[in-house]
């Protein structure tokens, strides 16, 4: 692992690191914020999964999360959204290929060789961080924005016991039934509907739910609202009687202005779960 940068940040350290990934077969870069408390021992960790076209850097510099995480003594992990490089398959469209890994393990060519983002985020990167930094992997939570909100919700529901809480900003809620998902799920996974269902938050909610609290915020003026389909997740959560807060925020769009406006709420929400006995 190579340290690309480390900067003082709200009394802690915001670092950026690169390592060779076995999961993707490429070099991967991630950001990690450690609060001041990490100098004295392991701290809880909140994962932030970013959306389409983003890298590790977008949320790290735009979400305004470090200040709130520092107040709560929580580490933040900012993974990249896909493998990258000259030998990695790509697509001219922004919603497929590099920058658009959808947090799944691709099974179809040409994507299968490198696009193993579920294995990377769920297995390889946690192990790397656990072995090298003062984080407490017994106290994890997860959040994300857009495609990353989709990833946060689907990972939380498919890995029972891993995360104490889950939240999302404007998540893609029902990709197997949306124009923002059918193309990607079919391209990466083929036409098997069961494979698609395993990466669909609304269908996972209907099938199994989440074993903890959930918070979801979406803006009423989100330009992608018809593609996100938040109503499908709300209906599934209501039928399951899932412990959840699902909010439509008036006037907000899909941008990081929206994310940063409600970041304090989300970090506080996760802190309550992470520090609960």
């Amino acid at each position: 692992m190579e340290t690309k940068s480390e900067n003082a940040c709200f009394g802690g350290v915001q670092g950026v690191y690169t390592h060779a990934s076995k999961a993707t077969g490429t070099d991967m870069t991630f950001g990690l914020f450690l609060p001041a408390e990490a100098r004295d021992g392991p701290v809880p960790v909140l994962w932030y999964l970013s959306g389409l076209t983003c890298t590790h850097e977008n949320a790290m510099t735009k979400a305004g999360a470090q200040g709130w995480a520092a107040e709560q003594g929580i580490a933040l992990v900012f993974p990249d959204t896909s493998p990258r490089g000259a030998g990695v398959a790509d697509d001219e469209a922004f919603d497929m290929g590099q920058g658009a890994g959808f947090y799944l393990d691709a099974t179809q060519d040409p994507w299968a060789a490198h696009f193993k983002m579920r294995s990377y985020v769920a297995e390889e990167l946690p192990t790397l961080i656990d072995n090298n930094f003062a984080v407490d992997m017994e106290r994890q939570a997860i959040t994300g924005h857009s495609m990353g909100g989709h990833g946060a919700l689907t990972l939380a529901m498919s890995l029972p016991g891993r995360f104490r809480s889950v939240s999302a900003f404007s998540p893609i809620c029902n990709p197997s039934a949306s124009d923002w998902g059918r193309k990607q799920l079919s391209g990466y996974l083929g036409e098997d509907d069961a494979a698609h269902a395993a990466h669909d938050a609304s269908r996972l909610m209907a099938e199994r739910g989440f074993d903890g609290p959930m918070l979801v915020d979406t803006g009423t003026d989100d330009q992608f609202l018809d593609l996100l389909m938040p109503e499908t997740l709300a209906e599934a959560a209501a039928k399951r009687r899932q412990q959840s807060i699902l909010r439509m925020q008036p006037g907000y769009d899909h941008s990081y202005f929206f994310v940063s406006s409600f970041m304090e709420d989300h970090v506080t929400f996760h802190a309550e779960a992470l520090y609960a006995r």
Side-chain angles (χ1 to χ4, degrees):
M1 187 176 65
E2 178 186 353
T3 300
K4 304 298 288 186
S5 63
E6 287 184 334
N7 298 95
C9 183
F10 290 100
V13 176
Q14 175 62 65
V16 176
Y17 309 92
T18 298
H19 69 106
S21 167
K22 292 182 179 179
T24 67
T26 65
D27 287 344
M28 296 293 291
T29 301
F30 66 94
L32 173 67
F33 169 74
L34 289 174
E37 288 83 350
R39 300 188 190 105
D40 300 320
V43 296
V45 58
L46 174 59
W47 293 80
Y48 185 102
L49 306 185
S50 291
L52 290 166
T53 75
C54 291
T55 69
H56 69 282
E57 189 174 19
N58 294 72
M60 193 178 77
T61 59
K62 295 180 181 179
Q66 292 92 335
W68 305 119
E71 283 194 9
Q72 302 290 350
I74 294 172
L76 297 168
V77 183
F78 304 100
D80 202 348
T81 55
S82 79
R84 300 178 189 274
V88 177
D90 201 7
D91 191 282
E92 292 183 358
F94 75 96
D95 57 358
M96 195 84 178
Q98 295 187 38
F102 268 78
Y103 303 101
L104 51 76
D105 286 353
T107 59
Q108 305 298 302
D109 291 334
W111 315 107
H114 298 290
F115 280 73
K116 304 292 185 183
M117 287 303 295
R118 188 183 192 282
S119 291
Y120 177 70
V121 170
E123 299 170 15
E124 184 176 26
L125 187 54
T127 299
L128 179 73
I129 290 173
D130 188 29
N131 289 340
N132 289 278
F133 299 98
V135 296
D136 181 359
M137 287 300 180
E138 295 300 315
R139 293 184 292 166
Q140 295 186 70
I142 191 166
T143 188
H145 173 230
S146 193
M147 178 185 73
H150 140 83
L153 292 168
T154 56
L155 283 168
M157 285 187 275
S158 62
L159 295 170
R162 171 73 66 88
F163 302 105
R164 293 194 180 186
S165 52
V166 61
S167 75
F169 300 88
S170 49
I172 302 171
C173 295
N174 193 196
S176 66
S178 167
D179 288 342
W180 219 2
R182 278 190 296 249
K183 166 190 170 183
Q184 293 83 359
L185 294 179
S186 296
Y188 290 136
L189 301 172
E191 300 300 331
D192 181 7
D193 183 65
H196 295 188
H199 297 281
D200 187 304
S202 297
R203 296 172 70 174
L204 285 171
M205 177 58 67
E207 176 187 338
R208 63 180 73 179
F210 175 61
D211 54 350
M214 179 177 75
L215 169 64
V216 177
D217 278 316
T218 305
T220 61
D221 287 1
D222 193 306
Q223 56 270 48
F224 305 111
L225 197 56
D226 290 341
L227 300 174
L228 303 177
M229 300 176 68
E231 66 279 1
T232 62
L233 181 63
E235 181 180 1
K239 286 183 177 179
R240 177 160 284 278
R241 299 177 180 175
Q242 169 73 40
Q243 179 185 359
S244 59
I245 303 168
L246 298 98
R247 307 185 298 194
M248 297 299 301
Q249 299 291 0
Y252 286 90
D253 59 16
H254 199 74
S255 70
Y256 267 96
F257 296 111
F258 160 64
V259 173
S260 60
S261 295
F262 296 97
M263 183 56 70
E264 180 185 8
D265 288 0
H266 284 244
V267 173
T268 301
F269 167 80
H270 289 297
E272 291 176 357
L274 290 168
Y275 284 108
R277 294 189 181 276

